[in-house]
Amino acid sequence: QVQVVESRGGLVQPGGSLRLSCEARGGSVGVAAMGWYRQAPGKQRDLVAQITRDGIANYADSVLGRFTISRDRAENSVYLQMNSLNLEDTAVYYCNYFFSSRYNFWGQGTQVTVSS
């Protein structure tokens, strides 16, 4: 069992920045595909960014150039640096740990609100 623990999100003004962190307790971020997803009210949960076991990062088109996913093996954590935030980035953000279909774990979610 892997416990995925996200940092607290927050309220940010448009154009601002925020960094989310995610720790995988009981697992290793170095052997799993780690992803950040988000879900806005009334919408489905969508992939925002992912970093593969080989360290390759992939991004949704809507965040490309604004968000950066990174991994720290020593801290056993992944991070999502979010810059140039806009109103459409408001959502609950979830961290995902994927090793296999059997070892697929989610965090509890953290609210990010972009508002003036």
Side-chain angles (χ1 to χ4, degrees):
Q1 188 79 5
V2 177
Q3 185 181 16
V4 180
V5 182
E6 300 128 341
S7 61
R8 182 174 296 182
L11 174 64
V12 185
Q13 291 188 339
S17 298
L18 189 66
R19 186 193 195 211
L20 301 178
S21 64
C22 168
E23 181 183 0
R25 299 176 181 175
S28 171
V29 300
V31 301
M34 300 296 299
W36 285 98
Y37 292 72
R38 67 186 181 187
Q39 187 169 19
K43 296 187 177 181
Q44 66 181 22
R45 188 177 299 186
D46 291 325
L47 178 67
V48 175
Q50 182 187 60
I51 186 164
T52 69
R53 299 169 189 168
D54 297 328
I56 298 172
N58 299 291
Y59 299 92
D61 289 344
S62 60
V63 306
L64 193 61
R66 300 188 298 122
F67 290 12
T68 302
I69 188 170
S70 61
R71 178 177 63 189
D72 187 328
R73 293 173 187 253
E75 296 294 326
N76 204 32
S77 296
V78 293
Y79 306 94
L80 185 67
Q81 177 66 44
M82 304 184 291
N83 299 328
S84 301
L85 286 161
N86 57 54
L87 301 180
E88 289 69 37
D89 295 318
T90 295
V92 178
Y93 284 70
Y94 297 90
C95 182
N96 175 254
Y97 177 103
F98 182 86
F99 181 74
S100 68
S101 57
R102 182 176 179 181
Y103 293 95
N104 182 18
F105 302 98
W106 292 89
Q108 77 283 1
T110 187
Q111 177 70 46
V112 173
T113 301
V114 184
S115 175
S116 56

